[in-house]
Every structure is written in C-alpha cells, then in structure tokens.
Amino acid sequence: SGGEGIIGTWLRKHRLFYLGATRHPFILNIRDGAVDFPSFKRWLGQDYIFVRAFVPFVAALLLKAWRDSDDQSDIEVILGGMAALNDEIAWFKKEALKWDIQLSSIVPQKANQDYCRFLESLLHPDVEYTVAITAFWVIEAVYQESFAHCLEEGSGTPPELRDTCERWGNDDFGKYCCSLRKIADRQLEKASDDVRVKAEGTLLYVLEHEVAFWNMSHGEA
Ligand code: HMH
C-alpha cells in the first residue's frame, strides 16, 4: 500500500459502512438542528454507561502496549486517552444535571450491553495489541468524525448541543485520533496476515456496534 496505510485501504474498501456510523441520522439531525431532545437525552444516558465500560478496555490496552509495543510513545498516547475519559465522566455528570437526567437510574439497553460485552471480549490477554489498538482507534474516530461534522461551516447545530459536539469534534481530539491511527497502522504493517484479518474483522464489528448504538436514540428497543 502507498501513503494511505492499511487503515486508509480499509476505509476505502468499507466506505459505505464507515459512513453509516459517522453520518448516522442521529448525527445528521443534530447538524440540521432537527434533533429531538428526548433522543439526545437517551443517547447521553446510554453513553455514560458505555464510557464507564470503556475504562477497563483502555486499561487492558495500556497493558498490551506495555507488553508488546516497541515504541514507548504509544503508552503516552493511550494514557492521554485515559485522562480524557476521566474528564468525560465528570462532563457526563455535569451534563446530566443540565438535562435533568438521573444517571444512577439508567438501565443499559440491549445494543449498549452487546457493545460493552464486545469490549469485554477484547480485554483478554490473548487478544493482540494490534487488534485492540485498531478497535480503539475506530471507536474514537467514529465519534470524532461524527461530532466534527456537526461543527462544520453552515451546520445548524442547536447551541445547547455545541458543548457535546466540541467534546469529540474539537481539533485536539482530531489530532489524538490521528496519533492512534498512526500507531494502529504501524502495528498492522508488521502484523501477520492472521492478525491483520482479525483486526479488519474487529473494525467492522465496531462499526456495526456504533450504528446500533446511535439507533438506540430512537428509543424503540
Ligand atoms: C458509543 N463510541 C461510543 N461512545 C463513545 N463515548 C465513544 C465511542 C468515544 O469515546
């Protein structure tokens, strides 16, 4: 492959699938100022639960990096992601007050449970660092691309939702996602075919879970 890396190749190959996750109707509605607030509140409550389950995943990823990476700076990038999660949890609590959401009484919906169980399956020491870092990149990138879209010129995102969009759509979060992508690409370049196949499958699973997660905001489940 050329300068686009393995991930670039995969993004081209699975473009429609990727767009399904990053240009979901929930996001397009936010961008068009057409979001209904009950949907937004449902998403917010469910995402708080997801982010709490994301912490052990990142902890396991940190262990895998410490064990298997030959570049020390990987640890710092992942640790930065962990620190961001700490801020995020505090932010969810603040935001829940603003929207009058009782976080302690939120029941995880099926799509959320499925996604959290999938994250849990990646904790196992047998899951390669390359596979886990690829998953981490795509999990973060979907939110970055989705919410950055709501901040682009000409978007009609309601002012009450700008803070949410900026949390994941800001430039620093974008740079952080680029760092993750570089790490994942470097690992993928030197991986065996077997591990590369697993990483590609994992990327597709993540996209599927992300779409199902956005779908929860409709509240039919
Ligand atoms: C469902 N995917 C989901 N929630 C998040 N907060 C992120 C990705 C990014 O951190």
Side-chain angles (χ1 to χ4, degrees), residues 47 50-51 54 85 88 115 139-140 143 168 173 210 213:
D47 210 44
F50 175 84
V51 164
F54 203 27
L85 283 182
E88 241 166 65
Y115 201 172
I139 292 168
E140 298 286 54
Y143 264 44
W168 290 279
F173 198 79
E210 287 290 338
F213 200 93

Side-chain angles (χ1 to χ4, degrees), residues 43-58 81-93 112 115-116 119 139-140 143 167-168 213:
W43 164 79
L44 191 83
Q46 292 297 317
D47 210 44
Y48 172 71
I49 293 176
F50 175 84
V51 164
R52 297 194 69 100
F54 203 27
V55 174
F57 169 79
V58 183
M82 186 74 107
L85 283 182
N86 185 40
D87 286 351
E88 241 166 65
I89 287 173
W91 177 85
F92 272 106
K93 289 179 179 166
N112 202 355
Y115 201 172
C116 291
L119 286 184
I139 292 168
E140 298 286 54
Y143 264 44
R167 169 144 294 275
W168 290 279
F213 200 93

Side-chain angles (χ1 to χ4, degrees), residues 7-145:
I7 286 178
T9 308
W10 288 348
L11 288 179
R12 241 179 334 104
K13 182 173 163 194
H14 305 298
R15 181 168 166 73
L16 287 180
F17 211 33
Y18 187 68
L19 287 175
T22 57
R23 296 292 182 266
H24 188 274
F26 177 73
I27 285 298
L28 297 178
N29 280 338
I30 290 178
R31 186 197 144 92
D32 296 340
V35 71
D36 74 294
F37 289 101
S39 292
F40 176 77
K41 287 170 70 168
R42 258 193 302 273
W43 164 79
L44 191 83
Q46 292 297 317
D47 210 44
Y48 172 71
I49 293 176
F50 175 84
V51 164
R52 297 194 69 100
F54 203 27
V55 174
F57 169 79
V58 183
L61 177 66
L62 206 52
L63 278 179
K64 291 177 204 293
W66 170 73
R67 190 187 61 188
D68 292 338
S69 174
D70 44 33
D71 189 333
Q72 295 215 345
S73 64
D74 290 10
I75 295 280
E76 285 146 52
V77 175
I78 299 163
L79 200 54
M82 186 74 107
L85 283 182
N86 185 40
D87 286 351
E88 241 166 65
I89 287 173
W91 177 85
F92 272 106
K93 289 179 179 166
K94 192 190 70 176
E95 202 70 6
L97 280 178
K98 175 171 135 190
W99 294 98
D100 203 22
I101 298 168
Q102 199 74 48
L103 289 176
S104 58
S105 64
I106 289 172
V107 178
Q109 299 291 297
K110 176 154 190 309
N112 202 355
Q113 288 173 9
D114 290 347
Y115 201 172
C116 291
R117 212 169 309 126
F118 171 71
L119 286 184
E120 232 178 282
S121 74
L122 299 175
L123 299 181
H124 199 279
D126 287 352
V127 175
E128 296 83 357
Y129 174 50
T130 304
V131 171
I133 189 75
T134 303
F136 190 44
W137 162 73
V138 68
I139 292 168
E140 298 286 54
V142 165
Y143 264 44
Q144 203 279 326
E145 290 226 18

Side-chain angles (χ1 to χ4, degrees), residues 114-199:
D114 290 347
Y115 201 172
C116 291
R117 212 169 309 126
F118 171 71
L119 286 184
E120 232 178 282
S121 74
L122 299 175
L123 299 181
H124 199 279
D126 287 352
V127 175
E128 296 83 357
Y129 174 50
T130 304
V131 171
I133 189 75
T134 303
F136 190 44
W137 162 73
V138 68
I139 292 168
E140 298 286 54
V142 165
Y143 264 44
Q144 203 279 326
E145 290 226 18
S146 298
F147 286 112
H149 187 58
C150 301
L151 297 172
E152 283 166 8
E153 283 273 308
S155 73
T157 298
E160 307 95 300
L161 302 187
R162 282 198 76 86
D163 205 50
T164 298
C165 297
E166 270 156 20
R167 169 144 294 275
W168 290 279
N170 76 73
D171 289 343
D172 282 344
F173 198 79
K175 286 190 196 114
Y176 156 70
C177 289
C178 279
S179 305
L180 291 179
R181 177 170 167 169
K182 282 197 193 106
I183 295 171
D185 258 329
R186 193 197 69 226
Q187 285 292 128
L188 288 163
E189 288 293 344
K190 63 178 190 191
S192 66
D193 286 346
D194 171 55
V195 169
R196 257 202 296 269
V197 167
K198 274 196 242 175

